[in-house]
Amino acid sequence: MNSDSINISVAKLIPQKAPFVMVDKIIQYSEHEVTSSLTISEANIFTKNKEFTEPGLIEHMAQTVALHTGYKYHLLNKPSPTGYIGSIKAIEILNLPKLNDKLITKASILHEILGFTLVTIDVMLNGVSIATGEMKTVVAN
């Protein structure tokens, strides 16, 4: 599905609430991938000295994964579940985005079984990868 067919508020897809929301749009969804965006604002709690911080990037990555799960549940007419980061592996942050930069982030699902999801994540800024990593998340029962 492309962005034209996804017209739903991310607030309905993830359990996080303002001011802790680190995604602003779901751009693309498929069974094995999701793409999100985030425009860095001064109001964001992870913006310091006009830069988006490392913890903010990691939370943005995790919430991108949560969007995948939330949208899947939405398609099944079920409420979005709460999930947790099980592990973070091989995170590499090459550059910190600045105020008003727009991040485009793709999470690719490697394995999904019994509520556990293993993903690779790539955060892009102006077509250039600025952060990558692997993450394992788990849906709470």
Side-chain angles (χ1 to χ4, degrees), residues 61-131:
M61 294 165 101
Q63 288 187 26
T64 297
V65 178
L67 273 178
H68 185 271
T69 303
Y71 195 73
K72 180 171 68 174
Y73 275 63
H74 169 75
L75 293 174
L76 297 170
N77 291 317
K78 295 181 178 181
S80 297
T82 299
Y84 302 97
I85 298 171
S87 67
I88 298 172
K89 180 180 174 185
I91 296 289
E92 185 174 11
I93 298 174
L94 304 171
N95 196 3
L96 293 175
K98 311 287 187 253
L99 196 60
N100 299 318
D101 283 347
K102 182 177 182 178
L103 305 177
I104 303 294
T105 302
K106 182 187 286 186
S108 300
I109 312 304
L110 301 175
H111 302 288
E112 191 170 25
I113 186 166
L114 301 173
F116 289 89
T117 304
L118 177 63
V119 299
T120 59
I121 306 165
D122 189 11
V123 181
M124 307 282 286
L125 175 62
N126 300 322
V128 176
S129 179
I130 64 163

